[in-house]
Amino acid sequence: MGKRKRAVGDHLIHSEAASTHLRNGAGIIKQAKTTSQKPVTLQIVAGTYERVLHGISATIQVEGNSADQGNGAAVEFADTFLFNAHDSAVRCLALSPSTHQETIALASGGSDQTINLYQLSTRASKTRPGHGPSLPSLAGRKIVENSKNRELGSLQHHAASVNALQFPTRSKLLSAADDNTIAVARTRDWTILSTIKIPIPKAHGRPSGDTAPLGGAPSGVNDFAIHPSMKLMVSVSKGERCMRLWNLVTGKKAGVLNFEKALLQAAGEGRWGRGEGLKVGWNSLGEEFVVGFEKGGVVFGLDSKPKGIVKISPPSKIHQVRYVNYGNNDQFRPNVLAVSTEDGRVMFFSTSPASSDLGHQLPICPAIGEIVSDDGDPKGRLKDFEILNTTEAGGQSMPRFLVSASSEGLIFIWSLDLAPSLEASASVHRPAGAAKSTNGGPDGKPRSQGVSELVPQVGRLLGKYETGNRITCLKAFIMTEAACEDERSALDNALQLKGGPEDTSDDASD
């Protein structure tokens, strides 16, 4: 079959799927690929102070070659579900691992001592926003409904606010609450298998805090993190200047490591600081973990010895910490840490410190990049974020997306590119004048005052969505394409309801 040609003046443009050739009198010029890639659909779930779970789908149409890293991408948002989840604020969310399943489990924990369970579809809807009919909406927002998104039930085995949830595997759900317990539930029948009890701290002159009774001390588990081997867990609690190690094989305590005064001061905990760990997380290889405090963090090795300090400059409160896995299989880099702050930033640190601070014994983890929300003008706290990777199994580099949520109800989607910062990690501390070319805010606009000029901008804003609710926590995942076979089987099932059971054999054979 011959190629289709279209005359434009003295030029002939050959339409090809891989590249575009321009024929001129001087010869043939081969340009880069300009074909549009398949759209990427993200499912975003936001928990709010208004007691609801808000589901949003974001369809990202990436145009241009693979080196553009999302340049020219257009984002289309649509509401997918709105669950009236709890009787009080939603505090935490968890998604079960997706192993090529059509549905995954969503768990939400709130201040009402309840864990609600939901089923979410991993298949993108055939009716994308702007490409077909959608449900009517009084608010003027596009709505795309999925029949597989439904409620499963609730768990009420905790006696206080639920602070942390995690699915280590599809078969287990772990939950931590202010009643100083960490419970293990089986997802097959949602039976509580065991409960780990954390000792309640004694009040030795410590302030009671807002959550403690009169004359008492604050108690409860702030966060926990499970080692990739599923045999070890680290937890941090209220009112304790220590972290606890747990043997998940036996369900017993493996050790208690106290935070020294010098270590807390290096992490930004002043004289009147609480000194308790607020967040904790392992990297994907299980070689190190981080404990996040109010205004800093400490990186520990597998031997539980501190190896680096994470400092926010300019100083700001920390809301979330997560490890980032960036790079292809032959250039795997597990030592990148992302931190969201009170002033609307997401900062990236290399946890393999290359420089030391003269005022501290431990080296300082260098900042290799940051993302400033809302056109360089921070508005609201970044309560949570998720980093999504679209790298294919063959090792081809694809755009990477960062989804962040502000306490003012804004959801941001960024195109993330850490490769230049990782390659130039040796020259992170360069003069301010040399970094001005890469330090501008999104769309090249200048930064707000107080933002460090030594850290380059590593993300480009693709789109933002206003939910209308104050967001407390966020989860997101990349949806798979709706298969044609599934669509035909759904149509056959609908026809079978009208035509009777005689079409069952034909449907099975298809």
Side-chain angles (χ1 to χ4, degrees):
M1 182 182 292
K3 299 178 181 177
R4 182 179 179 183
K5 302 180 182 180
R6 178 164 54 94
V8 182
D10 296 332
H11 303 275
L12 292 178
I13 301 179
H14 297 249
S15 299
E16 295 182 8
S19 61
T20 302
H21 298 270
L22 298 182
R23 185 180 302 274
N24 201 343
I28 298 177
I29 303 175
K30 184 176 182 180
Q31 294 183 341
K33 296 181 181 180
T34 58
T35 57
S36 60
Q37 302 175 4
K38 291 183 179 180
V40 179
T41 302
L42 311 182
Q43 176 64 64
I44 305 171
V45 184
T48 65
Y49 284 107
E50 284 75 17
R51 305 171 296 176
V52 299
L53 282 179
H54 194 171
I56 305 106
S57 67
T59 302
I60 305 174
Q61 181 66 54
V62 182
E63 297 181 356
N65 54 30
S66 59
D68 289 338
Q69 290 293 333
N71 291 334
V75 184
E76 297 177 345
F77 293 95
D79 292 339
T80 54
F81 60 85
L82 191 67
F83 294 137
N84 189 7
H86 295 270
D87 295 332
S88 58
V90 182
R91 300 180 63 92
C92 54
L93 296 173
L95 288 172
S96 64
S98 177
T99 56
H100 305 288
Q101 301 289 333
E102 293 186 0
T103 59
I104 60 174
L106 167 68
S108 66
S111 303
D112 57 353
Q113 311 173 10
T114 304
I115 300 174
N116 288 344
L117 305 170
Y118 304 89
Q119 174 185 283
L120 298 183
S121 173
T122 60
R123 295 287 181 91
S125 175
K126 178 65 177 178
T127 305
R128 303 202 317 269
H131 294 78
S134 60
L135 297 178
S137 172
L138 295 177
R141 299 175 178 175
K142 298 178 180 179
I143 300 177
V144 177
E145 195 176 34
N146 195 316
S147 59
K148 292 186 178 180
N149 297 338
R150 60 187 181 92
E151 300 183 19
L152 296 179
S154 61
L155 303 176
Q156 298 180 349
H157 54 274
H158 284 293
S161 300
V162 181
N163 296 328
L165 295 168
Q166 185 176 350
F167 283 93
T169 62
R170 289 184 61 91
S171 61
K172 298 293 186 298
L173 170 64
L174 273 73
S175 58
D178 279 343
D179 57 358
N180 280 83
T181 60
I182 299 177
V184 183
R186 183 172 55 196
T187 61
R188 184 178 61 187
D189 51 5
W190 300 110
T191 302
I192 306 302
L193 299 178
S194 62
T195 301
I196 300 175
K197 296 183 179 180
I198 287 85
I200 299 177
K202 297 180 180 180
H204 293 292
R206 293 193 300 266
S208 60
D210 296 334
T211 60
L214 182 62
S219 62
V221 181
N222 286 328
D223 197 10
F224 65 92
I226 302 175
H227 191 269
S229 65
M230 310 297 175
K231 298 179 180 180
L232 179 66
M233 180 177 65
V234 181
S235 67
V236 289
S237 302
K238 293 182 174 67
E240 290 187 333
R241 298 190 174 187
C242 66
M243 59 181 177
R244 298 181 181 272
L245 305 179
W246 303 91
N247 187 343
L248 294 182
V249 178
T250 61
K252 297 182 179 180
K253 181 179 64 176
V256 179
L257 301 177
N258 295 321
F259 301 136
E260 299 179 357
K261 183 178 180 180
L263 182 65
L264 294 176
Q265 291 178 352
E269 291 291 306
R271 180 180 179 183
W272 308 109
R274 293 177 294 178
E276 62 186 37
L278 302 177
K279 296 291 181 180
V280 62
W282 287 91
N283 70 338
S284 61
L285 297 182
E287 297 176 347
E288 65 181 34
F289 63 94
V290 61
V291 176
F293 298 94
E294 187 173 4
K295 294 185 178 180
V298 180
V299 179
F300 294 85
L302 190 57
D303 55 358
S304 300
K305 294 182 179 180
K307 55 181 294 188
I309 301 294
V310 177
K311 296 183 65 176
I312 306 297
S313 178
S316 182
K317 184 179 179 180
I318 291 177
H319 286 283
Q320 187 60 270
V321 294
R322 298 186 188 278
Y323 274 97
V324 181
N325 301 323
Y326 196 88
N328 298 331
N329 296 331
D330 56 344
Q331 296 177 350
F332 191 65
R333 300 176 184 269
N335 55 347
V336 178
L337 180 69
V339 179
S340 66
T341 64
E342 178 88 7
D343 56 2
R345 291 178 293 162
V346 178
M347 300 193 66
F348 298 87
F349 297 88
S350 174
T351 58
S352 299
S355 60
S356 300
D357 194 313
L358 298 177
H360 305 97
Q361 184 178 2
L362 292 174
I364 303 298
C365 297
I368 62 174
E370 69 177 357
I371 290 179
V372 178
S373 65
D374 202 10
D375 298 334
D377 185 15
K379 294 182 179 179
R381 303 163 290 174
L382 283 188
K383 298 290 291 185
D384 206 348
F385 66 93
E386 283 284 341
I387 298 178
L388 305 176
N389 187 12
T390 58
T391 303
E392 296 181 352
Q396 183 180 2
S397 180
M398 298 292 289
R400 179 186 293 265
F401 304 106
L402 184 143
V403 184
S404 60
S406 169
S407 60
E408 293 190 351
L410 295 175
I411 293 179
F412 303 91
I413 298 181
W414 303 82
S415 173
L416 182 62
D417 185 13
L418 282 174
S421 299
L422 290 173
E423 294 175 358
S425 59
S427 58
V428 170
H429 299 282
R430 50 180 173 245
K436 288 183 179 180
S437 59
T438 59
N439 187 50
D443 303 328
K445 295 183 179 181
R447 295 285 186 87
S448 59
Q449 288 185 345
V451 179
S452 174
E453 294 187 357
L454 297 178
V455 183
Q457 174 81 3
V458 294
R460 193 180 68 86
L461 183 63
L462 300 179
K464 64 180 179 180
Y465 184 80
E466 185 173 356
T467 62
N469 298 314
R470 298 170 297 166
I471 299 177
T472 59
C473 48
L474 177 91
K475 286 295 178 181
F477 63 92
I478 298 178
M479 306 185 75
T480 58
E481 278 192 81
C484 297
E485 291 79 8
D486 292 341
E487 295 168 3
R488 286 200 299 266
S489 62
L491 179 59
D492 293 338
N493 292 334
L495 295 176
Q496 182 180 346
L497 296 177
K498 296 182 179 181
E502 61 271 11
D503 298 332
T504 305
S505 59
D506 297 336
D507 297 340
S509 62
D510 293 339

